[in-house]
Amino acid sequence: MARKRHVPPVPEELPPCDGPKLPLFEHHNSKIEWLERLGDGEETSHEGYVFRVKIKRAEYAIKVGLQFKFYDPMESEYFWEPLIGDVSLNTAAYYTDPFYAECRAYGRIREATKKRPKISDAATRCYGFLFLSDRDQRYLEGKKCDLGLEEVDLAYQRQTPGGVRPRAIVKSLASSDHGITELNLRKILDRIHMLNRERIYNMDIRLDNIRDGKLVDFGSSWTEPHKLLDALDAGTSYSYRTTDRAMFDEMVVDESLPNPKHIVAMHFMTLRPRYN
Ligand SMILES: Nc1ncnc2c1ncn2[C@@H]1O[C@H](COP(=O)(O)OP(=O)(O)OP(=O)(O)O)[C@@H](O)[C@H]1O
Ligand SMILES: [Mg+2]
């Protein structure tokens, strides 16, 4: 008699490590009506997969992401192993997988919103994560989204929280405009400071990742407590913690954003590490 395949239960929140967690999307069992692909990604390109969808008559953006659906921490072992050494692959993934990076950042934003409601203006709202059904997978494959099912290391994926299921994150739908003007440039920098004060470091401050003046992509973010950040030497961790400010300044210059008030994030003094 064929043995029934073990399918782990759907987790209520992720990731199961120290620090903030994102809950499962409340309508995770409802049908997803896929409407269109968002962003600049051509259907054949390797940009992240973000779609406008309808779930229970409301519209959302669903990020299936490029590395989102499945992630193999062995691919980034060269980076994490020298820092945190002999940890389980699941632990390595909690701190290097872009999907968990979003879960942890949005988890912290949700917690922080209770004390400081203004922080919700810093990021496009996130409603939770979900796992894609077979029907959703067939739809995406029809749209030439490579879900990477052929390359998945099944032995590893089976023992991850959630098992062999492609993962996605549900956010509110923003416009296609970055929404930065000379009038709100200061506010956008203040929002980045607010996130950094909550120990969320986005690490990917670019025009493409800002929609309607809010950050939309936390796939590269680090949120403390963070095992890798803790393992870095003081100078390097300082530069990680100030990356968002440095990237903000670069973005303003590289994109020639109007800045009549000469707003800068990295003042001369902050360029000097203050770690001793
Ligand atoms: N909630 C949203 N509303 C409208 N457009 C969005 C939304 N989320 C993403 N987009 C569009 O899709 C593009 C890709 O999304 P995102 O930046 O999150 O993915 P990515 O860069 O591929 O992610 P990662 O770096 O984690 O692999 C964005 O640049 C933006 O244009
Ligand atoms: Mg992006």
Side-chain angles (χ1 to χ4, degrees), residues 38-41 46-50 60-63 65-68 98-99 102 124-125 171-176 204 206-212 216-220:
L38 297 170
D40 301 326
H46 287 284
E47 283 288 299
Y49 306 133
V50 181
Y60 301 93
I62 284 198
K63 179 171 180 175
L66 187 58
Q67 290 191 71
F68 251 53
F99 170 78
E102 295 235 11
T124 304
R125 186 163 171 199
K171 298 181 188 170
S172 60
L173 191 62
S175 78
S176 57
D204 201 14
R206 290 186 291 114
L207 228 43
D208 279 352
N209 290 333
I210 299 177
R211 288 286 168 267
D212 303 333
V216 79
D217 180 2
F218 285 81
S220 305

Side-chain angles (χ1 to χ4, degrees), residues 239-253:
S239 71
Y240 272 68
R241 289 188 179 99
T242 49
T243 293
D244 289 352
R245 285 186 269 160
M247 288 192 82
F248 174 89
D249 287 342
E250 261 171 50
M251 173 182 78
V252 172
V253 172

Side-chain angles (χ1 to χ4, degrees), residues 167-216:
R167 310 155 310 170
I169 282 189
V170 186
K171 298 181 188 170
S172 60
L173 191 62
S175 78
S176 57
D177 189 348
H178 58 71
I180 306 179
T181 67
E182 61 181 67
L183 297 176
N184 67 9
L185 195 61
R186 159 65 59 197
K187 201 180 261 176
I188 286 162
L189 176 57
D190 289 345
R191 290 170 176 171
I192 292 171
H193 281 148
M194 231 187 311
L195 291 170
N196 289 173
R197 274 199 299 274
E198 293 297 336
R199 299 188 299 147
I200 303 166
Y201 311 103
N202 176 277
M203 310 275 199
D204 201 14
I205 304 287
R206 290 186 291 114
L207 228 43
D208 279 352
N209 290 333
I210 299 177
R211 288 286 168 267
D212 303 333
K214 299 178 181 207
L215 283 163
V216 79

